[in-house]
Amino acid sequence: MLQKILQKEIYNSLLLKHNEREINEIRLRASKPIVVICNSKPYFLGEYGVCSNANQAIYATKDLISNIVFKASDYSIYSVNEQIKQGFLTLEGGIRIGICGNAVVEDAIKTINEFNSVCIRIPHLIKNAALPIFNQILNGGNINNTLIISPPGAGKTTMLRDIVYQFSNHNYPYNFFIADERGEITGGNNAINLGNFCDSICFLNKKDSILFGLRSMSPDVIVTDELGAKDDFDALEYALNCGVKVVATMHASSIEDLKTKPYFQKFLENKYFKRYIVLSKENGAGTIDGVYRENLTRIYGGAI
């Protein structure tokens, strides 16, 4: 998929020293060196592969950045404008392209043009990533409402995918509904295999996605990524009050940071989540720093 959107010379340089499985992120900024995150470490992209010296780096241009956006939209910006005005494009397989440029505003953002930077995030399926914490989520046949927290890029979505996959892989016939606002969890159109018991809706805000799922699919478990807005929490609280379990993610660097998050206090006070999984990049993305109970006491921690 990267080959589809990147200029041939850029793609070839990218793979001189690394394969796509090792690449986490590519950032292109107009008139700046191209930055590549490989195995969770930052490098510059040079003519002969990734390097540590900015003087050897390939510099991105606005034309190069615009070309990536046009290719990612199949040369039809209008057809994907609903995504673009939210600042991203999602490709098949879950590759997410964050977009910056000039916002065209008429009461609300109408579109973005004059693209000047993109952040290409490449998802990776890591089978069995969730096994060390699977028995914390499934307890005696009951699913614990679970929140996965970490800073950006530490493997929340990867862990979320594998949790869903493991339920199917272990033949637990719970019906999962995935509220996939940006198409990252499923890759859009269920391009990523998450097992036999999943339904999803993509590119709809989390509140409406969750209510849609409750009405249409009678789920046992709702799965969603990157909680943040008040509407997200209101919809989740409604789902929990309907007896549906929840597995979700949220940006926070630690349990202490989580306590400060807006709109989350009610969830803490009511102990809606029974397990908290804290991830970091300390030993690579997906490092399990700790597992916590509903009262935020630690069960265990450290790299696994």
Side-chain angles (χ1 to χ4, degrees):
M1 186 56 73
L2 287 177
Q3 192 171 15
K4 174 186 173 183
I5 61 172
L6 293 177
Q7 183 177 310
K8 182 179 179 181
E9 291 76 13
I10 299 293
Y11 181 77
N12 290 341
S13 296
L14 191 65
L15 298 186
L16 281 175
K17 297 179 182 178
H18 294 274
N19 59 52
E20 287 194 27
R21 292 189 301 275
E22 298 175 290
I23 300 168
N24 308 114
E25 186 176 286
I26 308 164
R27 288 183 179 265
L28 297 92
R29 302 175 174 100
S31 304
K32 302 292 183 182
I34 297 173
V35 176
V36 181
I37 308 298
C38 292
N39 296 321
S40 300
K41 297 179 180 179
Y43 299 93
F44 298 109
L45 179 64
E47 183 180 352
Y48 302 105
V50 299
C51 60
S52 300
N53 189 344
N55 293 326
Q56 298 174 353
I58 300 169
Y59 276 60
T61 65
K62 289 189 73 172
D63 284 345
L64 176 60
I65 291 165
S66 293
N67 191 251
I68 288 171
V69 177
F70 285 124
K71 285 182 176 180
S73 67
D74 286 328
Y75 299 95
S76 177
I77 294 292
Y78 176 79
S79 68
V80 293
N81 190 57
E82 286 302 311
Q83 290 186 60
I84 285 177
K85 68 185 186 181
Q86 296 181 60
F88 70 92
L89 283 172
T90 302
L91 306 186
E92 185 175 328
I95 291 177
R96 181 182 171 217
I97 304 176
I99 299 168
C100 280
N102 293 345
V104 179
V105 181
E106 294 178 5
D107 296 325
I109 294 178
K110 186 176 180 181
T111 191
I112 296 173
N113 58 26
E114 299 296 327
F115 310 113
N116 56 43
S117 65
V118 292
C119 172
I120 305 170
R121 296 182 63 184
I122 299 97
H124 297 287
L125 283 178
I126 303 178
K127 295 301 184 190
N128 302 326
L131 284 183
I133 48 88
F134 190 68
N135 64 350
Q136 296 295 333
I137 298 169
L138 184 67
N139 183 13
N142 295 315
I143 297 175
N144 286 321
N145 296 320
T146 300
L147 183 67
I148 305 164
I149 68 169
S150 82
K156 293 186 301 297
T157 306
T158 298
M159 184 67 73
L160 193 66
R161 289 192 200 101
D162 197 57
I163 288 170
V164 177
Y165 174 80
Q166 290 302 332
F167 273 94
S168 177
N169 195 44
H170 287 81
N171 293 315
Y172 291 105
Y174 295 106
N175 294 310
F176 283 80
F177 179 81
I178 302 176
D180 196 5
E181 185 171 9
R182 286 171 297 202
E184 284 188 282
I185 305 172
T186 65
N189 294 320
N190 293 316
I192 297 173
N193 177 19
L194 297 180
N196 301 321
F197 302 103
C198 296
D199 307 294
S200 65
I201 190 165
C202 298
F203 310 121
L204 180 66
N205 68 73
K206 280 187 277 292
K207 174 188 174 182
D208 291 337
S209 295
I210 290 166
L211 297 179
F212 176 93
L214 289 171
R215 287 194 305 266
S216 63
M217 302 309 297
S218 300
D220 300 305
V221 187
I222 284 176
V223 174
T224 194
D225 210 4
E226 298 190 7
L227 299 174
K230 183 178 184 299
D231 282 350
D232 300 347
F233 293 107
D234 289 345
L236 273 191
E237 184 178 27
Y238 179 76
L240 289 166
N241 287 332
C242 290
V244 176
K245 300 295 185 178
V246 170
V247 181
T249 77
M250 187 173 171
H251 285 309
S253 59
S254 65
I255 288 294
E256 290 305 311
D257 185 27
L258 180 67
K259 293 176 183 178
T260 69
K261 295 297 180 181
Y263 316 123
F264 195 65
Q265 299 309 308
K266 188 175 183 180
F267 274 65
L268 287 173
E269 292 167 5
N270 289 290
K271 297 183 173 63
Y272 284 141
F273 285 109
K274 304 303 180 184
R275 290 294 182 268
Y276 294 91
I277 313 296
V278 182
L279 305 181
S280 76
K281 295 184 279 189
E282 184 175 344
N283 294 306
T287 299
I288 300 172
D289 268 1
V291 178
Y292 295 78
R293 300 179 181 88
E294 61 195 84
N295 60 3
L296 303 185
T297 57
R298 195 178 181 102
I299 297 173
Y300 67 76
I304 296 192

